Structure formats: C-alpha cells, structure tokens
Amino acid sequence: MSVLRFEALPLPYFINSGFSLAGPGRKHPERWAVGEFDLIVVKQGCLYIGEEDRRYEVSEGHALILRPDLHHYPTEGCRETTASYWLHFQAGGAWRAGDPGGEEENEAQEEERLESRDGEQEDDEAAAGWFRKPTFGIELPQFARLLHPAKMYEALQRLIDLDRNSHMDSVRWEQQALFQQALMLLAESMRAERSRPGEEIADRAASYLRSRYREPISSKDLAEALNFHPVYIARRMRKQFGCSPMEYLIRCRLEQAKRLLLQTDLSVAQIALETGFRQAAYFTACFGKRERMTPREFRLRFLKG
C-alpha cells in the first residue's frame, strides 16, 4: 500500500469538489502535474486509472488519491455506467509518499528526518514565543477500500450541496470541516487494513509518560508497564517522536512547567517538584538547555506587559 504522509500544521485544505456520471466507454481525463491532489471516490461502477507506472481499478466503495506532481492517464474506458465523486485539495505543509512495507529498512533515514524536524521545531519555538508548535503527521492511503463508504458519500455530497453558497465565509468553514472528516474516514480505512504494532507501542509509552510525569520513572518501570524490552520501546519512540522515552518525559515535564510559570505564582523550586524534577538546579539546567533561558527569565519575559 502506498501511503501519503502530510506534516501538519498547517492542515491540508479543500479547494473544490464535484460528482461525475460516466457512461460505458468514457475515460478519466489525462493530466500532467496539475499541482493539486485529486481524491476520487467511486460510488458505482469502476474507473481505470494509471499514475506513472502504477495502474488502479477504482471500483465501488474504493478511493484513490492522485498526486499533484505526476502523470495521470486512463488505462481503459468504463465498462458500465460509473458514478464517482472527485475532490481537489492541496497540502498546506510538507508531504511525502512512501511504502509502509519498507518501514524497518528505512528506519535510520526516518530517524534522521525526525531529528532534523525536531531541531527545526526548536528554532520555531524561539521565534514564536517559546511555545512548541503542535505539529503532527497525517497518513492517508493513496488507494484503499473504504471502511465506511456511506459516510464518505454523505460527506462528499454535502460538500457539493454547499458549493452554491461557497462565497460565504461560514460555508467555506463548513466545507473545510467536512473535508477533514473525509480525510479521517480515509485514515480509518487504512488503519483497518494494516496493523502497526510499533506505532501502538510508542503511543502507549507516550501516554504512560504523560499520565505519570510527576512521578520518578525509569526505563525499567516503563518496560514493566508495557511488557516490552526497554531497548525496543526506545527504538519505537525514537522512530515516532524523534527522541528516547526519557527525553520525551523531560519534554512533557518542561511543557507543564511553562504553564505553571505563566499561570501560577509558585516558586521555581515548587514548580520543579510539581513537574517531577527532584532538584531545582536540575530543572533549571534542563529548562535552559531547551528554552535557552532560565525559568525565572521565561516568567519575567511574559510578565513585562
């Protein structure tokens, strides 16, 4: 399965949509690098489409995303009356195409990318008020059998019905919300088709650390809670989050500390204890390394106004 991964925020955004009814012999149009993603959802019949060297038979209840940078062409005409929805959208942020089947083989490359992105985020934090941007990844199947086709048809039809009033800001907003719903339905279809135990372990580890950041936690504690070897947990977290479990724990503690520095009058020593740091000096050192200022300087920076 080919997977398209989008870095968000910003989110991919809706451009326009429509419905097509094609009789026998009609073909999907041929295009070269149109600059927009084209989501095709077939409600009845089948479309025969090629993208570079790949060929797809998009039958009833299936969805295909055509990339904005490749050549698309018909491989044959419709054999029966075919009804399909189409939706054009664009990526507001970075995106890439990949194959989840090569996960282990490309692990080193993926870790390098995550570490690079993490460094870029740290630079962005300094420029944007010292708060971490809530970026995340969205993975969509390029071709999939829909888990809930009726829900997808309903969302896409609603998008089309709203088009007559799309000059209104409130309607454009509703269209964007419906588009995000369509992407979530696509993502659900992909998750139903494949199992990613590595991602599940990383997510479970992150949830465990977030829920217990005030407590003293070791790699052994985490391994016993998840019933996996600590080296395996560390490898999965580094792949998914770009850091080790203990580095992730420090980040969680520092995020909570920043909130307490701004929202309370607690002393730096008290905040250190509240967020799981046993020594104020260690808290200050960790804070300075990540935020490039002391906790007191951080608090004063936002109290000057």
Side-chain angles (χ1 to χ4, degrees), residues 60-169:
E60 179 179 338
H62 286 71
L64 170 67
I65 300 177
L66 296 174
R67 289 172 46 173
D69 56 338
L70 299 179
H71 174 210
H72 314 135
Y73 54 91
T75 57
E76 65 174 275
C78 297
R79 300 174 185 174
E80 58 184 312
T81 299
T82 300
S84 61
Y85 292 97
W86 56 266
L87 184 154
H88 294 165
F89 69 96
Q90 189 53 277
W95 70 275
R96 63 186 176 87
D99 183 355
E103 176 184 3
E104 298 299 330
E105 181 180 349
N106 298 326
E107 186 163 333
Q109 181 179 355
E110 177 74 0
E111 287 187 8
E112 181 180 347
R113 184 188 68 82
L114 285 169
E115 289 173 358
S116 174
R117 186 182 71 178
D118 186 58
E120 292 172 359
Q121 287 180 353
E122 289 183 358
D123 292 338
D124 289 342
E125 290 166 17
W130 305 94
F131 287 95
R132 189 166 67 91
K133 292 169 63 178
T135 57
F136 57 94
I138 298 174
E139 284 194 348
L140 302 176
Q142 188 169 7
F143 178 64
R145 179 178 182 179
L146 296 170
L147 182 62
H148 302 292
K151 290 183 179 179
M152 179 66 84
Y153 303 152
E154 182 181 354
L156 295 178
Q157 186 59 53
R158 177 62 178 159
L159 274 170
I160 295 171
D161 294 342
L162 288 171
D163 189 62
R164 65 175 65 91
N165 293 317
S166 61
H167 59 283
M168 301 168 60
D169 287 341

Side-chain angles (χ1 to χ4, degrees), residues 192-206:
E193 287 187 14
R194 63 185 175 97
S195 174
R196 297 289 290 272
E199 288 185 3
E200 181 185 353
I201 294 303
D203 288 336
R204 284 175 56 195

Side-chain angles (χ1 to χ4, degrees), residues 9 72-73 96 134 169 171 222 248 258 265 280 292 301:
L9 304 169
H72 314 135
Y73 54 91
R96 63 186 176 87
D169 287 341
V171 172
L222 183 61
Y248 187 89
K258 285 192 288 186
D265 294 326
R292 303 169 191 169
R301 178 184 177 92

